[in-house]
Amino acid sequence: MKANFAMKHICIGITAHVDAGKTTLSEAMLYQAGALKKLGRVDHQDAFLDTFALERARGITIFSKQAEFSLPHTEVTLLDTPGHVDFSAEMERTLQVLDCAVLVISGTDGVQAHTETLWQLLRRYRVPVFVFVTKMDLPGADRAALMADLRAHLSGACVDFTDPDPEQIALCDEAALEQLLERGKIDDALIAEMVKNRKVFPCFFGSALKLDGVEDFLTALACFTREPVYPKEFGAKVFKISRDAQGARLTWLKVTGGALRVKAPLTYRAQNQNYNEKADQLRLYSGVKFRALEEAGAGSVVAVTGLSHSYVGLGLGAEAEASAPLLQPVLTYQLILPDGADAHSALIKLRELEEEDPMLRIVWDERYGQIHVQLMGKIQLEVLRRLILDRFGLDVSFGEGSIVYRETIAAPVLGMGHFEPLRHYAEVQLLMEPLPLGAGIQLASNVPTDALDLNWQRLIFTHLLEREHAGVLTGSPLTDVKFTLVAGRAHLKHTEGGDFRQATYRAVRQGLMQAENVLLEPYYDFRLEVPAECVGRAMTDLQNMGGTVEPPQNEGENAVLTGYAPVRTLRDYFADVAAYTRGRGQLSCAVRGYEACQNQDEIVASLGYDAERDTDNPASSVFCDHGGSITVPWNEVPAHVHCDSGIRLGEEAVEEAPAPLP
């Protein structure tokens, strides 16, 4: 294979299940390409891209890192992403700026639970994928069995490129089959197009630690990758926020069109405000070192100083806002400050960490004066504690963890909110409908602009999206609901923007109070490998946890169980597995998403939330009566509202299909 194309620039991400050998492969690629003079090792704590002290100590990647190296006719930006499930969010947001990804598989472990989660994310973001199976020098690594594993659990389009069979490649694409029949071979250019369009996934086998197969793999990357065609108009996508050793705020972005020059003005909107700032410095990083650029062209990945309110997912210039991440935090812990520390001052500092990691949620509990953190797992908790100590000098601890629940509805309901104290007026009526699990919040309008001005409608939509609305079962965030604006009214003289905020919030809450509410809890996909004599115990445990278990598969002397179970019951099971298998069992988990809670009534009762007493989320409405204001309970609001939406749930369907969001 020969790379015979003009110089190109590609951005490659390295992804893997934890301990698969991802950072070792990154190190080998940099060394083989001549970017490193010395080959570092994770177990020697001197890997080039593990720059954080805790990364070196634990031997895992926590933060995504950037490195630059060259191949024939190809300049490569390499992004090494975390493999541990607790840091999946850091990995997911990096996927949105990749031209292709390298999925690393351990030759001794094969496809694991988190590997399949990674594959789903790569598919969601339409990222072309190369597979490198490493650790093939270790006992038990069987190339044929691993290839079958890849095709069974990832895609039938996975093809062994270590010694490629043209017929296997041709089966993945009609054009390739025609070319093979006509010419007796398939051109590299056509294979590169197949890779780009995710029609084939080249698989390579070797040992990154021993540099076996790495050179051939790099040659294939140069040959079978294509640089995207970028528009001339400037655009950039923000995928990370961090701070350097001096505390300077860094906005990491990929230029997706045109070019970005130093001191170029950048206009964007954040937190409902417009900002006009400048790119003070453009930094091209490789490991901990960087060089300053005067200009970053399309395809470049740079860290920019000077942007004070940028955020992950922000689109600059012609680039659109990124889609919401699939992964969400599933655990919550009370953060306990050291004696004498001021909670409000600490909260301001913690917001700095929250903007760097969108999957870290800092929650202030006004009722009890407590700070809570929501995150992915216990390892992330350890990292957070270390970050807070190093950056702010606060030696914090954490209370016992609990689950981050969510709520949704099971059937359509009409929510009504009215806000009319003296010299104020707004009314909002919302049709609330359930959506499939994982769909999030969607908006539509069924109100003509001559009935309610477009500016007011947009304001209502802003208020629906600007916060997480609390459910009425446990106070957990509402999700998987479509809101359709079906009626609304403003007053020519007395309506102000804040009036619609109150009316919108109350409409949501009033609808929930009469809805059929459903509690959702997070689930893990699991893969449990145990000695054959322990399989009965394992299956009993998993079923008692409310898990769904597939029939066991035999792998040598061990049995492998796969399925899914609630995070609530499975999160502490690692210790049990180690105990009853005497250290011979292995449990791996990956976040599956939210599903209906199996014992909803029991959990709702244990949490003790009272929706009627939640004064921060009133379901009542405020009406004007004889020159004064009266508060009308939620169940009496329909008799007092001023608008008639024409919707009678259970009696007739909505006559008109909802219009797209204005």
Side-chain angles (χ1 to χ4, degrees):
M1 296 178 294
K2 293 184 178 180
N4 53 3
F5 308 103
M7 182 63 73
K8 62 189 176 186
H9 186 182
I10 58 172
C11 181
I12 297 175
I14 310 289
T15 65
H17 186 282
V18 67
D19 293 332
K22 173 182 53 59
T23 301
T24 302
L25 178 61
S26 300
E27 199 83 6
M29 292 169 66
L30 292 169
Y31 178 78
Q32 199 80 55
L36 293 182
K37 295 181 179 179
K38 179 186 176 184
L39 189 63
R41 290 178 55 156
V42 173
D43 54 344
H44 292 173
Q45 300 187 12
D46 61 355
F48 178 71
L49 290 173
D50 280 348
T51 57
F52 185 45
L54 200 55
E55 290 178 314
R56 294 180 180 269
R58 295 194 64 97
I60 60 173
T61 301
I62 296 171
F63 304 105
S64 59
K65 309 293 193 319
Q66 178 175 336
E68 302 286 320
F69 66 90
S70 298
L71 298 174
H73 306 283
T74 307
E75 295 293 330
V76 179
T77 296
L78 180 70
L79 297 178
D80 185 21
T81 68
H84 197 285
V85 64
D86 284 13
F87 308 105
S88 299
E90 175 88 3
M91 173 276 305
E92 183 183 358
R93 58 178 178 260
T94 305
L95 297 184
Q96 302 186 46
V97 299
L98 299 181
D99 299 324
C100 70
V102 177
L103 179 62
V104 184
I105 307 289
S106 167
T108 57
D109 297 324
V111 175
Q112 298 179 274
H114 188 51
T115 314
E116 297 190 63
T117 299
L118 293 173
W119 190 259
Q120 293 168 9
L121 290 170
L122 291 164
R123 180 171 54 208
R124 182 192 189 200
Y125 293 111
R126 299 292 304 164
V127 181
V129 182
F130 291 78
V131 177
F132 190 91
V133 183
T134 188
K135 303 185 182 180
M136 292 301 295
D137 56 318
L138 298 181
D142 184 320
R143 181 167 152 185
L146 287 162
M147 199 64 233
D149 192 32
L150 295 174
R151 294 176 65 85
H153 292 97
L154 300 184
S155 171
C158 289
V159 176
D160 188 348
F161 269 57
T162 305
D163 183 16
D165 179 356
E167 292 185 4
Q168 287 292 324
I169 300 173
L171 291 174
C172 300
D173 181 60
E174 288 187 11
L177 181 59
E178 289 179 10
Q179 195 174 93
L180 180 63
L181 293 174
E182 291 176 3
R183 304 184 190 177
K185 66 175 185 177
I186 305 172
D187 292 342
D188 288 350
L190 179 55
I191 295 175
E193 283 300 311
M194 292 172 64
V195 172
K196 178 181 177 181
N197 295 321
R198 289 176 51 87
K199 292 184 177 181
V200 67
F201 304 103
C203 302
F204 297 82
F205 294 80
S207 171
L209 187 62
K210 296 186 176 181
L211 300 179
D212 179 31
V214 177
E215 185 174 357
D216 288 343
F217 181 57
L218 290 175
T219 302
L221 285 177
C223 186
F224 298 132
T225 52
R226 288 290 180 268
E227 183 177 30
V229 177
Y230 295 107
K232 294 182 179 180
E233 185 180 3
F234 168 71
K237 184 179 295 184
V238 176
F239 69 96
K240 180 179 176 180
I241 303 295
S242 69
R243 282 167 175 78
D244 66 11
Q246 287 70 45
R249 190 177 191 271
L250 302 178
T251 299
W252 296 76
L253 55 83
K254 180 182 181 181
V255 181
T256 56
L260 177 62
R261 290 190 59 82
V262 170
K263 302 300 181 184
L266 293 172
T267 300
Y268 61 94
R269 186 170 180 80
Q271 301 167 348
N272 294 319
Q273 294 187 45
N274 293 322
Y275 293 94
N276 297 289
E277 298 179 321
K278 291 183 178 180
D280 290 339
Q281 192 178 38
L282 307 181
R283 300 180 180 181
L284 182 63
Y285 273 87
S286 192
V288 295
K289 297 181 179 180
F290 70 87
R291 59 186 175 92
L293 303 178
E294 288 297 314
E295 181 178 275
S300 300
V301 177
V302 294
V304 179
T305 63
L307 305 185
S308 58
H309 293 85
S310 54
Y311 56 91
V312 173
L314 171 66
L316 295 170
E319 184 64 51
E321 188 95 352
S323 58
L326 180 68
L327 301 174
Q328 298 291 334
V330 297
L331 299 174
T332 181
Y333 295 83
Q334 181 190 348
L335 185 145
I336 303 170
L337 294 168
D339 292 341
D342 178 68
H344 291 281
S345 298
L347 190 62
I348 294 172
K349 294 175 180 177
L350 291 169
R351 295 294 182 202
E352 188 176 295
L353 298 178
E354 186 179 43
E355 71 175 8
E356 295 174 19
D357 183 356
M359 289 302 100
L360 169 65
R361 307 285 172 81
I362 307 296
V363 181
W364 172 249
D365 190 328
E366 187 73 43
R367 291 170 296 177
Y368 302 107
Q370 296 176 345
I371 299 173
H372 292 258
V373 297
Q374 296 178 0
L375 33 67
M376 299 293 285
K378 289 185 176 180
I379 303 298
Q380 190 184 3
L381 201 66
E382 179 185 340
V383 172
L384 179 62
R385 182 178 182 275
R386 177 68 175 269
L387 280 174
I388 294 172
L389 179 62
D390 290 349
R391 190 178 296 187
F392 309 124
L394 293 173
D395 189 6
V396 303
S397 57
F398 298 94
E400 185 177 349
S402 58
I403 300 299
V404 176
Y405 294 99
R406 297 187 180 278
E407 298 184 28
T408 190
I409 58 176
V413 66
L414 186 63
M416 304 178 180
H418 190 95
F419 188 69
E420 193 185 1
L422 190 62
R423 297 188 180 87
H424 292 269
Y425 186 95
E427 181 166 300
V428 173
Q429 294 188 26
L430 301 167
L431 176 63
M432 301 163 59
E433 300 170 281
L435 291 174
L437 292 172
I441 301 296
Q442 296 180 10
L443 306 177
S445 175
N446 222 19
V447 178
T449 55
D450 58 352
L452 183 64
D453 189 81
L454 183 60
N455 288 334
W456 293 129
Q457 294 195 40
R458 286 176 171 165
L459 188 60
I460 292 169
F461 296 137
T462 296
H463 295 322
L464 285 170
L465 294 177
E466 69 189 359
R467 61 176 285 188
E468 291 184 323
H469 298 276
V472 297
L473 295 175
T474 63
S476 300
L478 183 69
T479 189
D480 302 336
V481 172
K482 180 179 180 180
F483 293 103
T484 301
L485 179 64
V486 293
R489 183 174 292 179
H491 191 284
L492 289 175
K493 183 177 180 181
H494 296 311
T495 299
E496 299 178 357
D499 299 344
F500 272 105
R501 174 182 285 109
Q502 285 289 333
T504 301
Y505 288 0
R506 292 168 189 265
V508 173
R509 193 70 170 178
Q510 195 269 345
L512 292 176
M513 291 298 290
Q514 53 184 314
E516 183 182 345
N517 294 281
V518 179
L519 186 66
L520 304 175
E521 67 175 332
Y523 273 66
Y524 279 144
D525 282 322
F526 64 80
R527 182 183 188 275
L528 175 59
E529 184 174 349
V530 296
E533 65 269 20
C534 298
V535 70
R537 159 71 187 271
M539 291 192 69
T540 300
D541 285 352
L542 292 167
Q543 289 166 354
N544 289 339
M545 293 176 186
T548 298
V549 188
E550 296 294 328
Q553 301 293 320
N554 294 324
E555 290 191 6
E557 297 180 354
N558 291 341
V560 176
L561 298 171
T562 57
Y564 54 93
V567 172
R568 168 176 49 87
T569 58
L570 197 58
R571 64 186 176 124
D572 294 325
Y573 190 52
F574 294 87
D576 291 346
V577 171
Y580 73 73
T581 65
R582 298 181 180 179
R584 293 181 294 162
Q586 183 178 3
L587 173 66
S588 63
C589 297
V591 176
R592 176 184 178 90
Y594 277 80
E595 299 193 9
C597 190
Q598 297 178 357
N599 51 342
Q600 174 173 310
D601 293 343
E602 178 185 336
I603 292 175
V604 169
S606 68
L607 293 176
Y609 176 75
D610 188 342
E612 298 275 10
R613 295 188 178 184
D614 187 348
T615 57
D616 293 331
N617 296 285
S620 58
S621 282
V622 179
F623 289 84
C624 183
D625 183 56
H626 297 91
S629 298
I630 61 169
T631 299
V632 175
W634 66 267
N635 55 333
E636 299 177 15
V637 169
H640 291 75
V641 293
H642 296 171
C643 298
D644 183 2
S645 67
I647 294 178
R648 306 291 184 267
L649 292 176
E651 299 178 17
E652 60 184 55
V654 181
E655 294 181 3
E656 196 175 345
L661 177 65

